Amino acid sequence: MKCKNHTYPKYNIYNLQAIQKHKNYITQKLERDFYLLSKTDIDKNAMYVHPVSEKDHLFIQQNDDLQSNNSKMSFDDIYFQNGYASATMVLLKIIRLSTNNLVRRSYINPAMFCFRQYLELSIKDSLLRFRYFRTKAKPGEPSLKQHDIKKLWDDLKQYIQYEDVEIENITRLINEFVDVDKNATMFRYNASLNKALFNQDVRKPLIDIDDIIVRFLQLYRCFEGINDLSRLGEDDYI
């Protein structure tokens, strides 16, 4: 059996440079058109909207019947906390794809804020379910009204039947997060506000974008598993 001769395209240095140039152009266009809405763009867009009038509202006005019909979608706590998880991944991936320093510096704070917010929401939701929807803590249990994820996580661990090496490492990562952001304000307020409101000098930690994506996915997998465990038998007491 004879094989047909195939001719393969010859890529010389000029072809490769042209391909790379085109890729760079596409990347820059994505950054400009999709990934980053710069201050200049916002200023330009704001020039063409009308002043706030009496008829303007932030939210769609609806009657009670409509709101009750949409309650399953509007108040679904799974969508709520997973929204922060998805936002974290979107922002972190944007940072990883970009070579633009403005993109990286603009997006890292909201990315880390969503990261921490997801952890807090997931831990609190699991605690609420393990406590059979008791909002009031028993003596010795931390209140769900606080924001100390270290204390909340320590309380949540008592409902887990086992503690292995992974749980120990999860605890270490939670403690590391709290050590650099004790007041949960580092990624919420800028340095000036932290100083003015809390007399706190902010020292931002160094972040490797590839590592932080993996760490987030590791924590997400763990806390989603715990949250699923907290929902077992939920129909028996709802």
Side-chain angles (χ1 to χ4, degrees):
M1 183 176 66
K2 293 184 178 180
C3 296
K4 293 182 180 179
N5 293 327
H6 293 278
T7 58
Y8 297 96
K10 296 180 180 180
Y11 290 103
N12 56 35
I13 187 65
Y14 300 107
N15 295 132
L16 295 175
Q17 287 177 343
I19 292 172
Q20 187 59 50
K21 186 176 181 180
H22 181 68
K23 287 182 177 179
N24 291 341
Y25 168 76
I26 295 298
T27 300
Q28 291 171 3
K29 186 170 178 58
L30 283 172
E31 287 179 354
R32 187 64 185 171
D33 296 346
F34 176 71
Y35 291 151
L36 179 65
L37 185 63
S38 72
K39 178 68 166 61
T40 304
D41 293 328
I42 296 172
D43 289 343
K44 189 181 297 183
N45 292 337
M47 291 175 61
Y48 299 102
V49 297
H50 61 76
V52 179
S53 69
E54 296 177 352
K55 297 180 180 179
D56 293 330
H57 298 277
L58 290 174
F59 309 107
I60 298 174
Q61 303 299 303
Q62 55 184 328
N63 56 43
D64 293 338
D65 293 335
L66 181 61
Q67 189 170 8
S68 62
N69 292 335
N70 291 336
S71 61
K72 184 176 181 180
M73 182 67 73
S74 301
F75 302 106
D76 192 326
D77 48 1
I78 300 177
Y79 293 152
F80 195 91
Q81 64 195 45
N82 281 1
Y84 281 100
S86 298
T88 301
M89 283 303 300
V90 168
L91 293 169
L92 290 177
K93 284 185 176 181
I94 288 173
I95 296 169
R96 183 167 65 180
L97 286 171
S98 178
T99 57
N100 187 319
N101 196 42
L102 182 58
V103 172
R104 289 170 169 259
R105 293 196 173 192
S106 297
Y107 281 44
I108 190 60
N109 289 308
M112 295 304 295
F113 173 81
C114 289
F115 187 164
R116 195 193 181 288
Q117 183 72 357
Y118 164 75
L119 294 178
E120 182 177 332
L121 286 173
S122 182
I123 292 172
K124 285 183 174 180
D125 185 74
S126 295
L127 274 175
L128 191 66
R129 295 173 192 283
F130 277 127
R131 293 176 179 179
Y132 299 98
F133 283 85
R134 285 186 294 107
T135 55
K136 187 176 181 180
K138 287 182 178 180
E141 292 180 338
S143 170
L144 296 182
K145 294 180 180 180
Q146 67 165 317
H147 303 288
D148 189 333
I149 57 175
K150 181 181 183 299
K151 290 181 179 179
L152 292 167
W153 168 238
D154 286 342
D155 189 47
L156 179 58
K157 284 191 295 183
Q158 70 172 310
Y159 296 99
I160 304 173
Q161 298 297 323
Y162 61 93
E163 184 165 349
D164 57 8
V165 175
E166 184 177 14
I167 295 299
E168 292 177 0
N169 287 327
I170 295 294
T171 300
R172 180 175 52 80
L173 292 179
I174 294 294
N175 292 344
E176 184 179 350
F177 212 137
V178 173
D179 286 343
V180 300
D181 189 18
K182 290 182 173 59
N183 297 322
T185 59
M186 176 175 291
F187 304 107
R188 186 188 302 232
Y189 303 123
N190 61 30
S192 299
L193 282 172
N194 268 291
K195 183 65 175 178
L197 298 176
F198 308 103
N199 196 27
Q200 176 178 304
D201 292 318
V202 172
R203 184 178 180 182
K204 292 290 180 67
L206 295 177
I207 297 175
D208 183 290
I209 193 63
D210 293 317
D211 286 347
I212 204 68
I213 288 175
V214 175
R215 295 297 89 75
F216 174 74
L217 293 174
Q218 290 168 331
L219 290 170
Y220 174 84
R221 181 177 60 192
C222 174
F223 285 113
E224 286 300 294
I226 294 174
N227 198 248
D228 288 342
L229 182 64
S230 72
R231 294 169 186 271
L232 291 178
E234 203 170 66
D235 293 338
D236 296 337
Y237 55 83
I238 292 181

